[in-house]
C-alpha cells in the first residue's frame, strides 16, 4: 500500500546544524551555490545592514529565472511543473516547465503594458488555479513585489491590505469554487476598492466559466483579452536583475492590534533556504512530485506549492478541493496515486477530517500509495492520536514540523534528507540549520530541559526569514525583538527535551490557530465592539477536535438594550463573517453580564480559555468579581461546551 522508508542511515544532522551555528557564512555560502546568480554576493551576511543584518548582500539574481528558465535551459522543459487538479470543477491540467515559462512571460508582458515595474506592488486575489501561480512568477520576473490575499478574506480585510501595499495593479478572478457554492470574488473586490483609500490603476480579471464578472469601464480589464494583446511580443520579456536583498513579496499576517502586519520576504535568502530544505528536510529530488495541500494565500502555499518545488526542479500539485466532500475522504489518496506523489505536506486538520469520515482508513486500500515516502504536518499542533492513526495506516514516517509566516520555512523538523532522527510523537523535531532555538523564562533567562517557557530564536535569523515588516521597521522591533534582546520572539510557548527535540504547546499572544490559519482575536474583538449594542467583548480560542482551535466571543451588552441576546449573538456571528470572512470559523457568540477581570481591569482570557477547554484552573487572586467566572462556565456549559471546575 505504501512505500517503505528509505534505508536507515546515520543522520548527518548534528554536524550540519553545528556548522550552521558555528560557521553560518560558510554554511550558507555553500548552500547558495545551488542558486544561479547574475553576480555573486560580496558578503554572505552583513550585520550592519537592516534591523538585524542582511543575507547575500550585493548578490544579483532573479527568482523566476531560477524557478523556470534555468530548468528549460537545462533541457527539462517537457517535465510537468504543475499538476492542476480541481475536484470542485472536474478540471485537470498538466503544465510543463516550457508552457509555464511561456504563460509567465505573457503575463509579465501584461503587467509591463500596465506600467508595472521593478519595486511596484501587485495584489493577487485569486483561487487555486494555475493562473495564480503564473501571476506570482510574472511579478518575480519583472522585479515587482506581489502580495497574495487569500480568497476567503472579506472585503474589509482585502481593503486594509490594498491600503498598506498600495498596489499599482490588482490581479483577480471572477470567482472561487467551494464544494457546494460559488464564491463571487469580483463583488468583494469592488467593495474593497470602495472602502480602500488607495486606488490601483487597473484590475485584471480572469473570467472563470462558473461565474462571469461584470467589468468596470476605465479600471477593469479582461485577462484573456490582455493576454491575447501581448502574446506575440511577450517572448522578449526577460528576467529583471534583482538584488538578493530586494523584496520578493509581502504576505500579511494578523496583528494583535487588528491591523495586519506585512511580512517582507527577500529574494536571495529565501531562494537559498527553500532550495536547501527540499533535499535536506523533505528529501525530495528534482523530477519528483511534491504536494503541499494548502492554499497560495498562506505562507505554506507561497513556499511549498510555488517557489520551493519549482526552484528544486520538482513537479508541484495545485489542488482545488477539500480533504473530504470532493467527493469523499479518499480524494487525497486518489491524488497521490494519480500523480505519483513522493511527499505530502498538509495540516493536521485535514487528517482529522479524513479520520472522522473514514476512521478505519478503508478508502486508502482502494489506491496504490507506493510512491509516498513521507507525510509532513505543520500549521498547528499535531495531536498524537492523529499522528499515530496516520503512521499506522500509511506505514510511513509522519513528520510534524514547526514554522511561521514570518520565517517562511521550518524552524524545527525532522530532516529526512540528512538521515531521519527518531520520531517522538508530540514533538516538532529539532532546529533546522541556522536556527539557534532557546527556551526562556519571563526574565529572558534560559530554562532547563523539559521546562516550559517562551520559545525564542537567537539573532541573526537564518536566510529566508523576514528581514522586517513592510515599511514598519520600528513595529518589527517592538513586535519581535524588544522583549528578549538579542532574540526573535516567536510568541509560541513550549519546551525542549534532553535530546534537543522541541515541543510546541501554544501561543503566548492572542493569535489563534484555526485549521492552520493564524487569526487575530484582537481583530475579531474590533468587529464585535463595532456592534451598536455591545459595550465590551473578549474573544478566545477554544479547543476544537477538527480545526485545532475555533474562536469564541463573549460580549457584554450596553445598558438599556432590550433585544433578545440570541438575536444579537446571531448578528455578531454574521458581522465577523462579513468583515473577516468564513475563514475565521466564528460561530460562537455568547452574551454575559460581565467579563472576568483583574482589579486593574485586565480581562482574564487565559482563565476563560482553560474553562472552555476543560483544563484545571485556579481562581486568580487578583480577580475583581469571582462570580464572573462562574457565569462564563455556566454559559459554556449551556452551549454544550466543556466546563472545568476550579482547582
Amino acid at each position: 500500500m505504501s512505500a517503505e522508508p528509505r534505508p536507515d542511515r546515520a543522520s548527518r544532522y548534528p554536524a550540519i546544524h553545528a556548522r550552521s551555528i558555528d560557521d553560518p557564512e560558510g554554511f550558507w555560502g555553500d548552500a547558495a551555490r545551488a542558486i544561479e546568480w547574475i553576480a555573486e554576493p560580496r558578503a554572505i551576511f552583513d550585520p550592519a545592514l537592516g534591523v538585524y543584518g542582511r543575507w547575500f548582500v550585493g548578490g544579483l539574481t532573479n527568482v523566476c529565472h531560477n524557478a523556470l528558465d534555468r530548468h528549460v535551459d537545462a533541457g527539462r522543459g517537457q517535465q510537468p511543473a504543475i499538476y492542476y487538479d480541481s475536484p470542485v470543477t472536474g478540471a485537470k491540467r498538466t503544465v510543463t516547465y516550457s508552457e509555464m515559462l511561456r504563460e509567465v512571460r505573457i503575463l509579465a508582458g501584461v503587467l509591463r503594458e500596465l506600467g508595472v515595474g521593478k519595486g511596484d506592488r501587485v495584489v493577487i486575489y485569486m483561487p487555486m488555479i494555475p493562473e495564480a501561480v503564473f501571476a506570482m512568477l510574472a511579478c518575480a520576473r519583472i522585479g515587482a513585489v506581489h502580495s497574495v490575499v487569500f480568497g476567503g478574506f472579506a472585503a474589509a480585510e482585502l481593503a486594509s491590505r490594498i491600503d498598506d501595499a498600495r498596489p499599482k495593479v490588482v490581479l483577480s478572478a471572477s470567482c472561487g469554487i467551494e464544494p457546494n457554492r460559488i464564491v463571487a470574488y469580483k463583488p468583494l473586490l469592488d467593495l474593497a476598492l470602495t472602502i480602500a483609500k488607495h486606488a490601483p490603476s487597473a484590475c485584471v480579471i480572469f473570467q472563470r466559466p462558473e461565474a462571469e464578472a461584470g467589468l468596470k469601464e476605465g479600471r477593469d480589464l479582461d485577462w484573456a483579452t490582455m493576454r491575447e494583446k501581448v502574446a506575440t511580443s511577450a517572448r522578449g520579456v526577460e528576467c529583471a536583475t534583482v538584488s538578493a536583498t530586494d523584496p520578493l513579496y509581502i504576505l500579511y499576517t494578523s496583528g494583535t492590534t487588528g491591523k495586519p502586519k506585512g511580512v517582507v520576504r527577500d529574494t536571495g535568502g529565501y531562494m537559498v533556504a527553500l532550495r536547501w530544505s527540499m533535499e535536506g528536510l523533505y528529501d525530495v529530488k528534482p523530477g519528483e512530485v511534491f504536494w503541499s495541500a494548502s492554499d497560495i494565500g498562506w505562507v505554506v502555499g507561497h513556499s511549498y506549492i510555488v517557489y520551493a518545488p519549482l526552484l528544486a526542479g520538482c513537479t508541484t500539485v495545485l489542488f482545488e478541493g477539500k480533504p473530504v466532500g470532493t467527493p469523499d475522504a479518499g480524494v487525497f489518496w486518489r491524488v497521490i496515486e494519480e500523480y505519483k506523489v513522493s511527499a505530502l505536506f498538509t495540516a493536521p486538520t485535514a487528517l482529522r477530517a479524513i479520520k472522522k469520515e473514514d476512521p478505519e482508513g478503508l478508502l486508502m486500500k482502494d489506491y496504490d500509495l507506493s510512491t509516498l515516502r513521507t507525510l509532513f504536518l505543520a500549521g498547528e499542533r499535531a495531536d498524537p492520536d492523529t499522528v499515530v492513526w496516520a503512521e499506522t495506516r500509511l506505514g510511513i514516517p509522519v513528520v510534524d514540523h514547526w514554522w511561521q509566516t514570518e520565517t517562511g520555512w521550518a524552524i524545527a523538523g525532522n530532516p529526512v534528507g540528512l538521515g531521519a532522527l527518531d520520531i517522538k510523537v508530540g514533538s516538532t523535531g529539532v532546529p533546522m540549520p541556522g536556527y539557534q532555538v532557546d527556551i526562556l523564562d519571563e526574565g529572558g533567562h534560559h530554562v532547563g530541559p523539559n521546562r516550559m517557557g517562551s520559545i525564542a530564536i537567537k539573532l541573526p535569523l537564518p536566510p529566508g526569514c523576514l528581514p522586517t515588516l513592510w515599511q514598519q521597521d520600528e513595529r518589527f522591533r517592538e513586535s519581535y525583538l524588544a522583549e528578549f534582546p538579542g532574540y526573535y520572539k516567536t510568541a509560541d510557548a513550549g519546551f525542549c527535551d534532553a535530546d534537543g527535540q522541541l515541543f510546541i504547546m501554544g501561543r503566548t499572544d492572542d493569535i489563534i490557530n484555526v485549521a492552520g490559519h493564524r487569526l487575530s482575536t484582537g481583530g475579531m474583538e474590533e468587529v464585535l465592539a463595532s456592534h451598536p449594542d455591545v459595550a465590551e467583548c473578549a474573544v478566545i480560542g477554544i479547543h476544537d477536535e477538527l480545526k485545532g482551535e475555533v474562536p469564541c466571543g463573549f460580549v457584554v451588552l450596553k445598558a438599556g438594550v432590550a433585544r433578545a441576546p440570541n438575536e444579537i449573538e446571531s448578528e455578531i456571528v454574521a458581522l465577523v463573517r462579513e468583515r473577516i470572512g468564513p475563514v475565521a470559523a466564528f460561530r460562537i457568540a455568547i452574551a454575559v453580564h460581565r467579563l472576568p477581570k483583574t482589579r486593574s481591569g485586565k480581562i482574564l482570557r487565559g482563565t476563560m480559555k482553560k474553562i472552555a477547554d476543560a483544563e484545571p484552573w485556579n481562581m486568580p487572586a487578583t480577580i475583581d468579581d469571582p462570580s464572573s467566572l462562574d457565569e462564563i462556565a455556566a454559559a459554556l456549559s449551556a452551549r454544550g461546551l466543556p466546563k472545568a471546575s476550579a482547582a
Side-chain angles (χ1 to χ4, degrees), residues 49-62:
L49 296 180
V51 177
Y52 63 83
R54 299 301 299 269
W55 290 96
F56 306 110
V57 175
L60 301 177
T61 185
N62 184 280

Side-chain angles (χ1 to χ4, degrees), residues 436-453:
Q436 181 176 324
V437 180
D438 292 320
I439 314 298
L440 308 177
D441 63 18
E442 291 182 356
H445 305 110
H446 292 247
V447 302
N450 300 307
R451 289 187 58 191
M452 279 279 292

Side-chain angles (χ1 to χ4, degrees), residues 373-398:
R373 294 193 299 267
T374 321
L375 171 61
F376 293 90
L377 302 176
E380 60 191 313
R381 186 171 181 269
D383 58 287
D385 285 349
T386 299
V387 173
V388 171
W389 178 85
E391 282 183 337
T392 302
R393 284 157 182 80
L394 289 171
I396 60 174
V398 177

